[in-house]
Amino acid sequence: MSFFKVIFSKTGSKVWFFVTTSILVLLIVVTSLASTIFYELFCTLWGRERMITKDGTQQIFIADFDTKEEARLNGERVNERITEEGFVLLKNDSNTLPLPKGAKISVFGKNSVNLVYGGSGSGAGSGEFTKTIFESLTAAGFSYNPTLKSFYESSDSGSGRSSNPAMENDGSISLKVGETPQSSYTQSVKNSYRDYDDAALIVLSRIGGEGWDLPRKMVDKNGNLVEGARDANDHYLQLDQNETDLIKAVCDEFEKVIVIINSSSPIELGFLDDPEHYAYHENIGAAIWIGAPGDTGIMSLGRILNGDVNPSGRIPDTYARDFKKDPTWFNFGNNLIPNGQDYLSVKDKKTTYIYSYVDYEEGIYVGYRYYETRGFTDGETWYNENVVFPFGYGLSYTTFSQEIANKQTLQNTTITADKKIQVNVKVTNTGSVAGKDVVQLYVTPPYIEGGIEKSHVVLAGFAKTGIIQPGASETVTVEIDPYYFASYDYNDKNQNGFKGYELESGKYIIRLCANAHEQIDSFEATVQEPGIKYETDPVTGYSVVNRFDDIDDELGSILSRTDWEGTFPATRTTQERELDALTNQKINSIATNNPFQTNEFPIIGEENDVTLRDLVGKDYDDPLWDKLLNRLKVNDMINLFNNGAFQTAAIMEIGKPRTNDADGPAGFVNFMSDPSVGAVYGTSHYACEPIMAATWNVDLLFDFGEAIGNEALIGDERGDGTPYSGWYAPGINLHRSPFGGRAGEYFSEDSFLSGMLAAYEIQGAMSKGVYTQVKHFAVNEQETSRRGICTWLDEQTLREVYLRPFEMAVKIGKTRGMMSSFNRIGAKWTGGDYRLLTEVLRNEWGFRGMVICDFNTGSHMDSRQMAYAGGDLNLQTFNQEWKPKISNPTDMTILRERVKNILYTVCNSNAMNSEVLGYKPPVWMVLMFIIDAVVVAGLGLWGFFAIRKAYKAQKQKTS
């Protein structure tokens, strides 16, 4: 009898056969897919190959700490320095603060027991090392009301705020603040106040995060009013009814009331100074903005409250009185209705994504550029009606005087294109408490009615003093570069025959200010006739010309100071949402706009002995690079380009190690990875970027970057010791609208402040061998429909406002990494636009390094278009590869360029601290093979007994 007849003769052996066949097929399929198509994804989730290193390799970058815990604790110390200088004292009437040590405090607010520490997605932390506001108060010598704390921790006070929404949405999310209604406060809870009535803290919190923007209506998708909201037309960034009732109730009970604003985004704060609408505002003695402070930053609050730390932060955004009057209100997010920024009647769609748009009709008038300019033209009454706190505002426990020490020398000097202006500012502590102060310099350019649009003031320089004792002085020197306050005339508005950056002739007022609105001192300088034209870039000498003439094609009128009302932005009409055939064709196109073509093949697979280590410290143009690149095989180059998800791949033949690259702006994180097995874990979670910006301290931002670098050098301590070499940070998009979901991942509404702080942060990280992949390049200011949204703006706004911080990151920070964004500028995806990634970034600005795309989900993000545009590293895990043609010399030349940029970046990083000899397979793969072997052995053993039994039964039957 045949083998199969024996198997099918008995039920037991038959069951074994079918079960075994099914399981083996499943194991083969799963193992095959895990080893090929899904390999990169599984590595991202559960860990990568483990390196084998050569002993005795000389360290290029030296860590200041020996263990991961020591590096993390240093990060926490740096973070607390950031929050000490970044928390902003907004109000302090009648010396409400500081409080005496030993004061008994009642802390109010449901969110007081659940602070917002960071964002979500790339801005999130692990929550493993967080401190509470109560720990901060205790450490500062205060005692707090335990009954009130327990009440908020229990369900008796309600269910609390909304959790973070899903990563991607259509812009119609709803969020509840979660504040406890007054009806829930029992008499026993109220009775507890009298034992802790020295002061009351009221915590007001707002969340934000990646993939979603903040609601501008307080209704859910079904049209129902969100819990606690007063009206459907309210928005998330104003007080809801329960918060309003809470403030009134607390002000009725306590003489000293301090409001704590726990939000990365600005919120409407008119209740702090508006007696007409908020009768209780005078009872609020003080207010402190604390943003999202990271794991341990809240510990600084207690030290500020008791006076051990004198607050010196200055807000990085304008706090408007009514966000609905901001020029961006009408062109942001979903325009208040689901799918309200989607094109209608879209034909021949090439992607599964909805085709969306956003119009930057406010032009250059973003944040203070709008409020200060319109305040200048429309008067102080208008300004006070529209602004609560100006950009750069903040209080101290002491007073300072400032004066321009070299004013006489500077007065009426001539501004030239290449000479920086050095302003010496003497700062004197005129109060009774030691503290730090911020020096802010703004420029008012000459403006001609109907000419180039210009902000009344633009930040041009700043500095943070050291600690100045009462009666003492410090003189700081602030250097101003005229290039950074030049205007970009993209359409020859002044009819002088020139398009580009220019300083028109006339008087320029350089203002020493307490903030964007309050002048302290000033002097005038002059640009002589016929003005200054930057025909070439002042750093690289490369020609600067209009490159984006088509990106304003769909804009209506652009806001102008000549006619605020007549040019004020408006939401598109239904007719204006129709997508015309030409624009549709441009959106669908994945053609490259790189004109390069060649018939010459690069050398591939040459035999020589050059390794990547031989190029350490070499210039980008060193001829040795060609010898190294000649060695590479095509498959190695393709693999390096395509496998860029939180890593760069190894090429062992040239000694190129695999790198660990991690997100995010508030410290290393990989939210796609399981922290229990992944390479990124146990790192410090730092304060949000707006708090960093509020320090106005470039040296402190360098220290932050250096702390990140120290954590990077320790890296995967529990694994194979691979450092963190790449860092998807800093984020330097702007706070165009206060409703931007990722406000916590970006510094400010101002491009100069953002760019300067980023530059020093980059320098600090690079000092420890970390390459910063600065994001998101560019004009990525909203999360709604972010994947492929068409961003329409004029080239003046693009260059003066939104590209400027990236330019500074390149020229001042010397970053070797950049991350392109999801969105389109005009109809062209940023990551596939040769104008942006090559003509501007590499040619005009002189960038040398690699560009990675934001996570490549396909759709409009074409990998070939990206490579031809100047994108080097494909952040994807499967199915979005570029498959260049080996027979195509242009493809091979482009691929070689992409690979060179990656190798140049890695070669100058901490990845070269070790000499890698090889790699062991990932732990998850070893476990998978062990499981395969165990299952197969088990099936074999089962089969042995099942078949033997069948044979015996068959033998007995035949005998």
Side-chain angles (χ1 to χ4, degrees), residues 47-256:
R48 296 191 175 276
E49 308 90 347
R50 295 158 292 159
M51 67 178 180
I52 305 167
T53 58
K54 180 179 178 180
D55 293 334
T57 304
Q58 183 176 357
Q59 301 288 288
I60 301 170
F61 299 96
I62 308 299
D64 298 319
F65 305 95
D66 296 323
T67 68
K68 195 173 188 71
E69 183 181 15
E70 289 175 351
R72 177 181 61 78
L73 291 173
N74 173 68
E76 291 178 356
R77 287 190 291 270
V78 171
N79 188 44
E80 290 182 41
R81 288 171 55 203
I82 290 170
T83 52
E84 283 181 353
E85 293 198 29
F87 288 173
V88 181
L89 182 63
L90 295 172
K91 183 176 182 178
N92 193 26
D93 292 349
S94 303
N95 295 318
T96 297
L97 293 176
L99 299 171
K101 292 182 180 179
K104 295 183 176 182
I105 299 173
S106 288
V107 183
F108 289 88
K110 177 69 175 178
N111 290 312
S112 65
V113 298
N114 184 27
L115 290 180
V116 176
Y117 292 96
S120 60
S122 64
S126 67
E128 187 178 355
F129 308 106
T130 53
K131 299 291 186 180
T132 69
I133 193 171
F134 305 99
E135 290 174 281
S136 178
L137 294 174
T138 300
F142 301 117
S143 58
Y144 61 83
N145 184 337
T147 301
L148 200 52
K149 177 175 179 285
S150 297
F151 169 65
Y152 289 130
E153 289 173 333
S154 75
S155 59
D156 294 341
S157 55
S159 58
R161 66 171 179 261
S162 301
S163 57
N164 293 327
M167 183 71 81
E168 303 297 337
N169 62 82
D170 64 3
S172 58
I173 65 167
S174 61
L175 297 174
K176 65 174 181 176
V177 173
E179 190 53 76
T180 303
Q182 287 301 299
S183 59
S184 297
Y185 287 78
T186 63
Q187 193 58 49
S188 62
V189 171
K190 294 179 180 179
N191 290 341
S192 70
Y193 303 167
R194 64 175 69 107
D195 294 325
Y196 294 88
D197 63 354
D198 291 333
L201 301 185
I202 302 175
V203 177
L204 306 176
S205 299
R206 294 295 186 274
I207 64 172
E210 181 177 0
W212 44 279
D213 291 312
L214 306 183
R216 294 187 294 153
K217 279 192 173 183
M218 295 304 284
V219 292
D220 62 22
K221 287 188 176 183
N222 298 318
N224 300 315
L225 199 64
V226 173
E227 178 186 318
R230 288 177 299 235
D231 185 88
N233 291 317
D234 282 356
H235 57 71
Y236 181 64
L237 295 177
Q238 62 190 113
L239 296 183
D240 76 352
Q241 188 61 59
N242 291 335
E243 288 175 315
T244 303
D245 294 342
L246 173 65
I247 294 173
K248 186 177 187 307
V250 173
C251 286
D252 287 342
E253 293 281 346
F254 291 81
E255 290 186 8
K256 284 193 173 185

Side-chain angles (χ1 to χ4, degrees), residues 307-382:
D308 284 347
V309 171
N310 189 350
S312 60
R314 304 290 185 267
I315 51 176
D317 297 293
T318 303
Y319 276 64
R321 199 169 296 280
D322 183 352
F323 291 171
K324 294 180 181 180
K325 294 181 179 180
D326 189 88
T328 62
W329 174 262
F330 298 97
N331 289 302
F332 181 83
N334 64 357
N335 282 348
L336 305 176
I337 56 174
N339 304 328
Q341 278 189 309
D342 298 336
Y343 284 110
L344 304 176
S345 304
V346 179
K347 298 178 181 179
D348 302 321
K349 290 175 64 175
K350 299 296 184 186
T351 78
T352 57
Y353 290 104
I354 295 170
Y355 284 21
S356 303
Y357 61 84
V358 58
D359 299 329
Y360 284 40
E361 289 187 336
E362 70 280 0
I364 67 167
Y365 298 109
V366 181
Y368 76 84
R369 294 171 187 249
Y370 168 67
Y371 290 103
E372 298 304 326
T373 308
R374 189 156 187 182
F376 171 72
T377 61
D378 288 13
E380 197 69 9
T381 299
W382 180 94

Side-chain angles (χ1 to χ4, degrees), residues 297-564:
I298 193 63
M299 296 303 292
S300 298
L301 179 62
R303 296 193 286 271
I304 290 174
L305 291 174
N306 72 13
D308 284 347
V309 171
N310 189 350
S312 60
R314 304 290 185 267
I315 51 176
D317 297 293
T318 303
Y319 276 64
R321 199 169 296 280
D322 183 352
F323 291 171
K324 294 180 181 180
K325 294 181 179 180
D326 189 88
T328 62
W329 174 262
F330 298 97
N331 289 302
F332 181 83
N334 64 357
N335 282 348
L336 305 176
I337 56 174
N339 304 328
Q341 278 189 309
D342 298 336
Y343 284 110
L344 304 176
S345 304
V346 179
K347 298 178 181 179
D348 302 321
K349 290 175 64 175
K350 299 296 184 186
T351 78
T352 57
Y353 290 104
I354 295 170
Y355 284 21
S356 303
Y357 61 84
V358 58
D359 299 329
Y360 284 40
E361 289 187 336
E362 70 280 0
I364 67 167
Y365 298 109
V366 181
Y368 76 84
R369 294 171 187 249
Y370 168 67
Y371 290 103
E372 298 304 326
T373 308
R374 189 156 187 182
F376 171 72
T377 61
D378 288 13
E380 197 69 9
T381 299
W382 180 94
Y383 187 87
N384 291 330
E385 288 174 350
N386 285 274
V387 176
V388 181
F389 298 116
F391 172 82
Y393 175 87
L395 302 176
S396 170
Y397 292 152
T398 190
T399 55
F400 294 96
S401 66
Q402 296 184 8
E403 61 178 324
I404 300 172
N406 59 339
K407 180 175 179 177
Q408 187 172 357
T409 302
L410 295 171
Q411 185 70 40
N412 295 320
T413 56
T414 298
I415 297 173
T416 59
D418 55 358
K419 184 178 180 181
K420 296 177 182 178
I421 304 167
Q422 292 192 333
V423 183
N424 299 329
V425 179
K426 182 180 180 182
V427 184
T428 302
N429 187 337
T430 57
S432 58
V433 180
K436 295 185 174 185
D437 200 13
V438 175
V439 172
Q440 303 176 41
L441 291 172
Y442 297 81
V443 173
T444 298
Y447 171 70
I448 300 170
E449 190 81 9
I452 304 170
E453 295 297 333
K454 296 178 185 177
S455 173
H456 174 61
V457 292
V458 61
L459 182 67
F462 64 91
K464 189 76 170 273
T465 71
I467 295 176
I468 304 175
Q469 297 298 323
S473 299
E474 177 184 339
T475 299
V476 298
T477 298
V478 182
E479 196 171 67
I480 298 177
D481 186 341
Y483 172 74
Y484 287 120
F485 58 84
S487 299
Y488 191 87
D489 187 0
Y490 76 105
N491 58 357
D492 195 17
K493 200 77 174 286
N494 60 8
Q495 299 182 356
N496 66 350
F498 176 76
K499 296 179 181 180
Y501 289 107
E502 61 180 295
L503 293 162
E504 293 185 296
S505 60
K507 295 289 185 181
Y508 288 73
I509 305 173
I510 288 80
R511 304 177 187 272
L512 173 64
C513 295
N515 50 65
H517 192 66
E518 298 177 78
Q519 178 177 307
I520 300 170
D521 201 353
S522 69
F523 65 91
E524 289 186 354
T526 304
V527 171
Q528 303 290 346
E529 290 280 1
I532 297 171
K533 300 178 181 66
Y534 291 95
E535 297 181 2
T536 60
D537 187 277
V539 172
T540 66
Y542 196 84
S543 177
V544 178
V545 297
N546 279 6
R547 303 190 189 277
F548 303 92
D549 284 328
D550 61 340
I551 64 171
D552 61 347
D553 285 352
E554 295 207 3
L555 292 181
S557 61
I558 300 171
L559 188 61
S560 173
R561 62 188 288 182
T562 62
D563 181 8
W564 295 115

Side-chain angles (χ1 to χ4, degrees), residues 68 162 228 297 450 467 514 528 541 564 664 669 684 721 761 850 869 916 944 959:
K68 195 173 188 71
S162 301
I467 295 176
Q528 303 290 346
W564 295 115
V669 66
S684 182
E761 177 184 326
M850 70 169 159
V916 179
F944 172 77
S959 64

